[in-house]
Structure formats: C-alpha cells, structure tokens
Amino acid sequence: MTLAHFPADRRMADIRRCAQVLLNLHGEEANRYWRSQMADFSARLSRLGTSAEEVSHQAGLFMNAVQMELQRLFLEEVDQAALDARA
C-alpha cells in the first residue's frame, strides 16, 4: 500500500512558523534551527515509511515554501518601514 502525504508546501502553519523564526535568526543560529527542522521533518516522514526519494521531494517543496514566505514577510516589513517613515 502506498501512503499519500499531505504536500509539505501546503502545511501553512509549519511554513509560517519556520519563516517567522528564521526571520529573527541569523548566521549559525539560523543554520542550526533550519537543520533541526529538516531533520525532524525527515524523521517524521521516514517513520511513516516514506521512501528516501519522497522525503527529499517533500523537503524540497517545504524549503521552497519557507523561502517564499520569508520573502513575503521581508517585503511586508519593508513596506511597513516605508509607511512609518512617511508618517
């Protein structure tokens, strides 16, 4: 039996949580956080019997979604700073 996973790039709560944390971390601290999140992510899928190929695919989807959310949050901050500067 094949187990279908909820696509990682649609796990909005997890994506937003990771992006928000990463927005406030820098350097090695951000790297450690991201590595721990991906290790937990991979371990969860592996425990469910997910193939290594599918874990890699889902990890890539998740990483891309987090990066897009980081960009959105950054632009939101830039826009807010511009509005604050005008006030």
Side-chain angles (χ1 to χ4, degrees):
M1 176 169 94
T2 301
L3 180 63
H5 298 285
F6 188 73
D9 59 333
R10 296 188 185 158
R11 296 174 181 225
M12 292 311 297
D14 290 334
I15 291 164
R16 287 185 180 124
R17 176 186 49 77
C18 281
Q20 192 64 52
V21 170
L22 287 167
L23 193 64
N24 297 306
L25 295 177
H26 304 283
E28 187 54 35
E29 191 175 15
N31 288 334
R32 274 193 307 274
Y33 174 77
W34 182 248
R35 283 192 304 266
S36 74
Q37 291 302 299
M38 293 311 294
D40 291 346
F41 178 87
S42 296
R44 271 195 317 272
L45 290 180
S46 294
R47 280 193 302 274
L48 294 172
T50 307
S51 70
E53 182 179 290
E54 184 63 16
V55 169
S56 179
H57 175 69
Q58 292 298 319
L61 291 174
F62 186 73
M63 180 177 68
N64 186 54
V66 170
Q67 288 176 339
M68 290 175 62
E69 180 66 8
L70 275 167
Q71 289 174 358
R72 188 191 70 74
L73 290 171
F74 176 75
L75 291 174
E76 197 174 88
E77 282 188 357
V78 168
D79 289 345
Q80 186 60 50
L83 287 173
D84 291 347
R86 287 187 222 155

